[in-house]
Amino acid sequence: MSKRVAIVSVAQNAGAESADNFYDQAYRVAREALDKAGLTREELGTVVTASSDIFHGGISCANSYYWETTGAFLKNASRQDGESLFAFFYGVMRILSGQYDTALVMALCKGSENPPNDACTLMFADPFYQRPVGLTETTAAALQMRLYMEKYGVTREQCAKVAVKNLDNARRNPYAHRKGDYTVEAVLNSGMLADPLTELEAAPKSEGMVALVLATEEKAKKLTDKPVWFKGYGSSLDAFFLGDRDLLNGQLGNAAARAYKMAGIGDPGKQIDLAEVTEPYAFQELMWYEDLGFCGRGEGGKFLDSGATAANGSLPVNVSGGVLANNPYVSRGLQRIVEATLQIRGEAGQRQVDKQVKTALAHGTHGFAGQCHAVAIIGS
Amino acid sequence: MGRAVGIIGVGQTHHGRRTEMSYPDLVREAVVRVFDDAGLTPADIDGVVSGTMPSMMEGIALTHFYFADAMQAVGKPILKTETCGSTGVSIAQTAYYWVASGMADCVLAVGHEKMNEGNAQATMTTVVEPFYQRYFIAGAPGVFSMQSQMWADRYGIPEDKIRDAAAYISVTHHDSAFDNPYAHVKLRVSMDDVKNARLITYPVRLLDVCPTSDGACALIFASEEFIRKIGKKAAWVKGVGYRGEEYFFGDSDKGVWQSAVQSAKQAYDQAGITNPRKELDVAEVYNPFTFQEMLFYECFGFCGFGESPDLVLKGIFNRKGELPCDPSGGVLCTNPIGATGLIRVAETVLQVMGKAGDHQIPGAKLALSHAMGGVDQFNGVMIVGSEL
């Protein structure tokens, strides 16, 4: 990259159900991100939002509904569907094109106005074969979990430990929706959702307005003394029919390799100081460790057991509590970037890790058993 | 403008009522054709941009999942762009920015819609929120009829004149569709047929309205370096503009429609165009409604406000006129919504490459494409030229 792009400010709301209406919630977060950057709406160059109609309270064309609350009135703006890291990357692209020197990237999802997550994810399935058998993100994940445990001897206890770790981390995150001091036993006994997945091993349905301001290097230096730089990005899409896919060898490796190449990362386990990953199901965090190259294939459980990914470990993962603590579906990817940015800037409050975070990874996934993955690398 | 970006391949389905094939197969038809046209294979593609209308219209959510295989996107980086009716031009702009930013050298853009399997008007009714607007904005025609009335009233355009001009547009576009092998509705109509057609929402009649089409469109965008390397001819992107305005219909002035005016201005500024009627050789204006097409001519600076009906009736915008608009037959004859804006871009690419066949405008070098969406809310413009 000849030119550099920086994150200059971030804002998010709390994940618990809010009495605020969609517009107020969205406006406040957009406003906060702009205010922190010291930008007026008029000075702002472009806006890229992320939202999905299926997660938008029964209103179609989500961007139509909220356009002006994001500051996009009479601006050149656009919108990405499904994954908010797409919007992050599109914002970066718009700045690198040289046409804009600032961009507001925002993800909008008000979980409390949506049906249950899986009533929505059922609509990802085709109506002929997969939908009639009840394939959802949860049932697909349960199949994937069973395969993963069978093949690598990962135990249910190791999977449950991810929830224990993340929900405990969430206790130090004021924005987290679900949090608590749970034991492995409590997680395993929290009610069977889709065998072998239990309730506490699956993400909740949360509110999530998340915004950040991007700027060119020149502009960023005027707007903040703590710029966080865009270093790399990669994404990859898998085939549609679940039976056509190897659920234990998905597309995250591909996405990560692209992001690492762009960021010049050869040894992710050493060069990445902290990761925020999207783990809508606890066991997936273990699989993602492997796909991201933090540990060897099948060793995710052992890697967790070693304490490496704890908040005080060598490579903390989901210090925010992750998606198990806070799951505004479309917004969760951008929320990972926001959390990673706060850690790099040393502004993560009670959840700030002890060591210095220079390079951080943010990951997003959506679709059955991780049909699509996106990885972003940011750093000081 | 970042790196120079060219479009090197066009693939369209034969648009229409395609009940003989599934939705993924329809997407595949356009994608196979774009690779044939560009002489490339999926291995050459660095990224795929997909887009369509809201999930309610598709019957399936987050359609990039469903069409991953048909788009040859398995294992590829993907972006999913959706901006309502303007989706097609927004897809094209996403692909443009991906290449212009230097983040990719060759990007496939795909837009698609199988409208005969969905319910477009019911879906569009859910674009408006359930508390205030949904009660009186049922589907698209109501919004555009109100806009037409506001515009006619603003400029004191006599009812007979505006009716005649709209009918003229309908007749000429329907004639043009016979010269476009991909067009959906092919119907010879007279001025009287249009003026006496069934009333949909006053003043809009049946032959003033676009059809319900199945169709897909795919384009390949590439960097100058990539294009030079493979030695292909390209249509070069000269300008991209986009604007959105308020959600509540009554909040903004739809008579002097700022999102249309400003999106065109942004694209003109980038392309160095100061007199669009003179400098542009052809335009593909997003025209689901005849009356609205005239308002676009004015917002895009093809003529002054209130002047378009006279100029339409003089033939300024027909295929032999000073600035031919929608020689493909336009949206009025073909409207698979998620693809429609991309088809406008595709048609301008064909025109400046001299590949538009029977509806070629001789010598076309600079062309404007456009799409509109939302609750009369979004406008996007892309300008392509034969020279870098």
Side-chain angles (χ1 to χ4, degrees):
Chain A
M1 272 175 287
S2 53
K3 286 180 287 187
R4 299 212 291 168
V5 179
I7 299 166
V8 297
S9 68
V10 298
Q12 61 182 320
N13 68 352
E17 180 171 350
S18 161
D20 281 350
N21 69 39
F22 190 105
Y23 284 154
D24 286 347
Q25 259 183 327
Y27 172 78
R28 282 185 192 127
V29 171
R31 180 83 255 171
E32 186 185 332
L34 287 178
D35 285 348
K36 283 177 172 170
L39 277 178
T40 64
R41 198 194 77 81
E42 289 67 28
E43 291 166 328
L44 178 66
T46 182
V47 179
V48 183
T49 63
S51 55
S52 282
D53 298 315
I54 197 76
F55 295 101
H56 192 64
I59 298 178
S60 291
C61 290
N63 59 310
S64 183
Y65 179 69
Y66 61 64
W67 190 261
E68 61 261 45
T69 55
T70 63
F73 174 64
L74 287 179
K75 290 205 181 289
N76 189 326
S78 196
R79 173 238 188 164
Q80 293 291 304
D81 180 30
E83 168 61 67
S84 45
L85 285 179
F86 291 173
F88 173 74
F89 183 53
Y90 193 8
V92 168
M93 275 160 41
R94 284 183 163 230
I95 289 183
L96 286 174
S97 77
Q99 291 180 21
Y100 300 98
D101 60 3
T102 53
L104 178 80
V105 177
M106 184 157 182
L108 304 96
C109 189
K110 189 168 172 59
S112 62
E113 290 186 355
N114 294 336
N117 286 338
D118 281 330
C120 298
T121 69
L122 179 66
M123 300 303 286
F124 300 172
D126 73 282
F128 310 109
Y129 301 101
Q130 300 192 133
R131 202 180 298 164
V133 299
L135 205 62
T136 64
E137 231 173 58
T138 300
T139 52
L143 294 168
Q144 187 183 33
M145 181 174 172
R146 182 66 76 188
L147 267 174
Y148 181 57
M149 292 195 305
E150 293 272 330
K151 177 145 185 189
Y152 295 112
V154 173
T155 64
R156 283 193 64 197
E157 286 71 20
Q158 286 173 313
C159 298
K161 264 189 187 175
V162 172
V164 172
K165 167 179 78 78
N166 292 355
L167 295 175
D168 176 54
N169 284 345
R171 293 197 294 160
R172 287 168 290 282
N173 179 0
Y175 300 104
H177 178 193
R178 194 171 63 175
K179 51 186 92 176
D181 183 11
Y182 295 100
T183 60
V184 166
E185 198 177 26
V187 171
L188 290 176
N189 292 328
S190 61
M192 191 57 76
L193 192 62
D195 188 10
L197 273 171
T198 66
E199 297 275 354
L200 282 171
E201 288 180 304
K205 176 169 71 100
S206 313
E207 315 273 83
M209 306 295 177
V210 182
L212 56 82
V213 173
L214 295 172
T216 57
E217 181 166 10
E218 195 187 359
K219 189 79 179 174
K221 286 179 173 163
K222 287 181 191 149
L223 298 176
T224 178
D225 49 10
K226 281 199 249 179
V228 172
W229 302 100
F230 168 75
K231 298 282 194 187
Y233 174 85
S235 69
S236 199
L237 181 64
D238 212 334
F240 179 66
F241 283 97
L242 203 70
D244 288 349
R245 293 167 44 196
D246 179 351
L247 299 185
L248 299 185
N249 189 19
Q251 294 294 327
L252 179 53
N254 246 343
R258 288 175 180 136
Y260 292 160
K261 189 178 169 202
M262 200 186 290
I265 288 175
D267 185 351
K270 286 214 169 66
Q271 288 170 271
I272 292 166
D273 301 311
L274 174 138
E276 281 283 334
V277 305
T278 292
E279 65 343 343
Y281 305 96
F283 75 96
Q284 286 181 337
E285 183 172 309
L286 306 179
M287 286 186 66
W288 305 161
Y289 294 162
E290 301 168 17
D291 289 330
L292 290 167
F294 298 168
C295 65
R297 184 62 76 205
E299 292 172 4
K302 286 181 207 149
F303 193 58
L304 177 82
D305 287 340
S306 77
T309 59
N312 59 359
S314 58
L315 175 41
V317 176
N318 287 338
V319 178
S320 66
V323 170
L324 285 174
N326 210 6
N327 183 33
Y329 194 97
V330 187
S331 309
R332 60 200 190 186
L334 199 67
Q335 202 155 46
R336 309 275 71 70
I337 292 263
V338 165
E339 284 294 328
T341 301
L342 292 173
Q343 290 286 351
I344 290 170
R345 293 168 68 136
E347 294 174 354
Q350 268 196 304
R351 61 194 185 285
Q352 181 70 41
V353 296
D354 289 337
K355 66 171 189 173
Q356 195 187 0
V357 181
K358 287 184 185 156
T359 303
L361 177 147
H363 158 254
T365 184
H366 65 307
F368 295 162
Q371 195 191 339
C372 187
H373 287 279
V375 173
I377 310 289
I378 56 175
S380 56
Chain B
M1 280 289 286
R3 294 204 300 176
V5 179
I7 300 166
I8 53 173
V10 173
Q12 302 188 49
T13 54
H14 282 80
H15 313 302
R17 198 174 171 82
R18 299 295 300 271
T19 50
E20 85 285 12
M21 61 163 64
S22 70
Y23 197 171
D25 280 340
L26 189 73
V27 173
R28 195 181 301 272
E29 183 173 293
V31 171
V32 166
R33 287 175 180 177
V34 80
F35 282 116
D36 283 349
D37 186 51
L40 297 175
T41 69
D44 297 309
I45 299 296
D46 298 329
V48 179
V49 183
S50 160
T52 188
M53 281 294 274
S55 39
M56 180 175 166
M57 200 182 291
E58 310 306 309
I60 187 161
L62 278 59
T63 49
H64 50 300
F65 292 146
Y66 190 31
F67 302 126
D69 308 76
M71 296 190 299
Q72 308 295 312
V74 175
K76 300 282 185 194
I78 180 94
L79 288 172
K80 172 76 182 301
T81 301
E82 276 193 25
T83 61
C84 258
S86 58
T87 287
V89 83
S90 292
I91 295 169
Q93 295 189 357
T94 309
Y96 160 78
Y97 279 110
W98 206 341
V99 177
S101 67
M103 293 278 111
D105 287 321
C106 187
V107 171
L108 171 68
V110 188
H112 41 73
E113 204 74 59
K114 203 162 196 309
M115 292 188 61
N116 286 299
E117 290 181 4
N119 188 334
Q121 296 314 314
T123 303
M124 283 189 256
T125 300
T126 65
V127 176
V128 285
E129 41 67 42
F131 308 110
Y132 302 103
Q133 300 191 101
R134 197 172 291 174
Y135 298 101
F136 65 96
I137 300 179
V143 173
F144 302 124
S145 298
M146 284 190 269
Q147 183 179 30
S148 300
Q149 298 289 69
M150 181 190 232
W151 166 62
D153 178 65
R154 175 82 53 87
Y155 299 105
I157 307 167
E159 197 178 332
D160 288 352
K161 187 191 283 180
I162 205 168
R163 179 61 273 178
D164 279 350
Y168 183 92
I169 285 175
S170 176
V171 171
T172 52
H173 287 348
H174 280 101
D175 283 346
S176 291
F178 279 94
D179 293 329
N180 177 1
Y182 302 104
H184 177 186
V185 173
K186 299 191 178 185
L187 198 64
R188 295 281 178 211
V189 298
S190 69
M191 295 281 280
D192 281 343
D193 291 338
V194 182
K195 289 197 264 187
N196 295 321
R198 180 162 64 87
L199 192 65
I200 302 295
T201 310
Y202 185 84
V204 172
R205 291 176 183 272
L206 186 64
L207 291 169
D208 293 308
V209 187
C210 58
T212 292
S213 313
D214 302 337
C217 181
L219 296 179
I220 293 176
F221 289 71
S223 65
E224 184 183 356
E225 195 189 348
F226 184 97
I227 293 167
R228 301 263 180 252
K229 204 168 75 189
I230 62 166
K232 289 292 280 192
K233 200 171 161 187
W236 299 97
V237 179
K238 311 296 280 185
V240 291
Y242 192 91
R243 290 291 184 276
E245 55 197 59
E246 293 102 330
Y247 176 65
F248 282 90
F249 188 65
D251 282 353
S252 39
D253 181 348
K254 307 296 184 195
V256 179
W257 199 8
Q258 284 303 321
S259 59
V261 171
Q262 294 190 26
S263 60
K265 183 171 185 312
Q266 185 180 21
Y268 292 155
D269 287 349
Q270 290 173 351
I273 292 171
T274 52
N275 183 344
R277 186 156 124 207
K278 211 166 160 189
E279 292 171 62
L280 290 169
D281 299 308
V282 57
E284 281 282 337
V285 175
Y286 192 94
N287 59 338
F289 296 86
T290 53
F291 291 90
Q292 201 186 26
E293 180 164 348
M294 292 186 271
L295 177 57
F296 284 129
Y297 294 166
E298 300 177 2
C299 292
F300 295 163
F302 299 171
C303 62
F305 278 94
E307 292 175 12
S308 61
D310 281 326
L311 298 181
V312 165
L313 290 166
K314 280 185 196 157
I316 298 289
F317 302 112
N318 70 21
R319 279 167 61 186
K320 293 210 164 68
E322 191 184 344
L323 175 50
C325 289
D326 294 300
S328 65
V331 186
L332 195 65
C333 299
T334 306
N335 193 19
I337 305 180
T340 300
L342 202 59
I343 296 170
R344 306 276 71 66
V345 181
E347 284 292 335
T348 59
V349 170
L350 294 174
Q351 289 287 351
V352 302
M353 283 183 156
K355 289 161 69 175
D358 290 342
H359 62 289
Q360 178 69 44
I361 302 302
K365 288 193 169 68
L366 194 63
L368 174 145
S369 56
H370 158 247
M372 171 270 302
V375 188
D376 230 6
Q377 195 178 2
F378 304 123
N379 281 284
V381 169
M382 185 174 255
I383 291 168
V384 297
S386 57
E387 307 295 328
L388 182 60

